[in-house]
Amino acid sequence: MAEIKADNTHQHQLTVPDPDIPDQKLPKPKRVASLDIFRGLTVALMILVDDAGGEWPMIGHAPWNGCNLADFVMPFFLFIVGMAIALALKRIPSRPMAIRKVIFRTLKLLFWGLLLQGGFSHAPDKLTYGVDMKKIRWCGILQRIALAYLVVALVEIFSTDAQGKDPASSWFSVLKLYYWHWLVAASVLIVYLAVIYGTYVPDWKFTVLNRNSTVEMTVACGMSGKLDPPCNAVGYIDRLVLGLNHMYQHPAWKRSKACTDNSPYEGPFRSDAPSWCYAPFEPEGVLRSVKIISNSFHFDEHWNSCLESRF
């Protein structure tokens, strides 16, 4: 009988990252094609609505009520951020290293957000640059993403030990395995709704520059629970925290029917336009930035298996 010998020419070794070695290189990430494709489509959609939204307002941001094509861009980006968090943190061997990377990336997003949307470039064609600290815009799209990324990533890092290693396939397992995610997302939503409907919004004033002179205008509110442009809690909190000079000076509500006859296009204000049409409004303000935290939560094992099985 011929002797059967084990073939030891092909040996496979399992390399386990050592968290005590700080300069150890992380393994090369495996790309998820479906997420990359969705990211590219979202960027293309953003370019489309930014460039063509002025010509076809039906695809641009809605002046106030409504949902147009451009209003899907931010939720899509937040979905991508939430998915990327779950995929990226799996590669990091230690919790302190993960926290450092999350904080560093958050600071980078805040820096670029302030640089791009804070007013550094006043007129690029005229090479006019510089920041006026009295009128710098503190909020912006990247700042919103940075806040959502920071909170969701920290929740993911500190709740990893509470998640099961082999999640069951039932729908109820999502609630059980990721209860910290659900708890934080539900808390954010409850606080947001409580502030929106429970905050008392008093009358407020602002000044408008009109032919080298300033005109003071008053917006009558004195109510709570309103969602219309002049008297909602979102704008009230931004005026208190940020100040009118640090808010977006060209809000989309200036294209509403109450402000211009050319709505939904831009145009001169009507003679009977209400005073709030002239006021600034921050679309990426404090309260709205807090609310989008819940949009970035995802449940990595279930979503990843779904993505990998369909693409």
Side-chain angles (χ1 to χ4, degrees):
M1 179 180 294
E3 182 180 359
I4 300 176
K5 296 182 179 180
D7 186 5
N8 297 325
T9 57
H10 301 285
Q11 296 182 355
H12 301 277
Q13 295 182 352
L14 176 63
T15 303
V16 179
D18 188 357
D20 296 330
I21 304 178
D23 57 347
Q24 185 179 18
K25 293 184 178 180
L26 297 176
K28 187 176 181 180
K30 181 181 179 181
R31 306 296 302 185
V32 179
S34 56
L35 189 62
D36 288 338
I37 293 172
F38 185 61
R39 183 185 292 110
L41 292 175
T42 303
V43 173
L45 177 62
M46 178 186 66
I47 296 174
L48 172 65
V49 298
D50 283 347
D51 292 343
E55 296 296 330
W56 297 293
M58 65 289 299
I59 70 172
H61 286 291
W64 190 253
N65 294 322
C67 183
N68 294 347
L69 186 61
D71 299 307
F72 287 95
V73 175
M74 177 58 75
F76 286 171
F77 272 122
L78 293 175
F79 177 87
I80 295 169
V81 169
M83 285 300 306
I85 289 173
L87 294 172
L89 292 181
K90 290 178 179 297
R91 300 174 43 247
I92 302 178
S94 65
R95 181 174 292 175
M97 183 184 297
I99 295 175
R100 288 196 300 269
K101 287 183 175 294
V102 167
I103 293 177
F104 182 63
R105 179 163 293 185
T106 301
L107 294 176
K108 287 197 298 184
L109 287 172
L110 291 174
F111 170 77
W112 287 111
L114 288 175
L115 185 66
L116 295 175
Q117 293 188 288
F120 176 78
S121 175
H122 300 295
D125 295 337
K126 299 180 180 179
L127 299 180
T128 303
Y129 301 95
V131 177
D132 185 359
M133 296 304 297
K134 294 181 179 180
K135 296 182 179 180
I136 186 174
R137 184 185 174 196
W138 296 115
C139 295
I141 295 174
L142 291 180
Q143 292 90 314
R144 293 181 75 182
I145 295 177
L147 176 62
Y149 171 78
L150 175 64
V151 175
V152 175
L154 291 179
V155 172
E156 179 71 16
I157 291 172
F158 287 103
S159 65
T160 301
D161 296 337
Q163 299 174 12
K165 301 300 181 181
D166 188 15
S169 59
S170 65
W171 286 103
F172 295 102
S173 63
V174 178
L175 298 174
K176 182 179 180 181
L177 294 175
Y178 303 99
Y179 65 90
W180 276 112
H181 301 70
W182 287 107
L183 181 61
V184 174
S187 300
V188 169
L189 182 60
I190 291 172
V191 170
Y192 174 79
L193 293 176
V195 174
I196 282 289
Y197 289 102
T199 302
Y200 176 81
V201 180
D203 300 345
W204 53 285
K205 299 179 180 180
F206 64 98
T207 57
V208 177
L209 182 63
N210 186 14
R211 295 181 181 179
N212 298 326
S213 63
T214 57
V215 179
E216 187 178 77
M217 295 187 174
T218 302
V219 180
C221 290
M223 60 186 71
S224 59
K226 291 293 183 180
L227 303 181
D228 56 351
C231 300
N232 61 81
V234 173
Y236 173 59
I237 292 177
D238 288 339
R239 291 190 294 271
L240 287 179
V241 177
L242 304 175
L244 285 168
N245 290 336
H246 301 285
M247 297 168 60
Y248 188 51
Q249 302 297 317
H250 306 284
W253 73 24
K254 294 188 176 183
R255 296 187 284 107
S256 60
K257 294 181 179 180
C259 299
T260 176
D261 291 326
N262 294 337
S263 179
Y265 295 90
E266 294 183 2
F269 286 160
R270 300 169 49 176
S271 58
D272 59 343
S275 57
W276 55 264
C277 292
Y278 300 86
F281 180 78
E282 184 53 68
E284 287 89 29
V286 177
L287 194 57
R288 298 185 68 181
S289 297
V290 171
K291 182 204 57 149
I292 67 168
I293 293 174
S294 59
N295 295 43
S296 302
F297 277 107
H298 300 291
F299 312 104
D300 47 5
E301 294 292 345
H302 295 268
W303 277 107
N304 291 349
S305 61
C306 178
L307 286 171
E308 292 172 356
S309 63
R310 284 164 171 75
F311 293 91

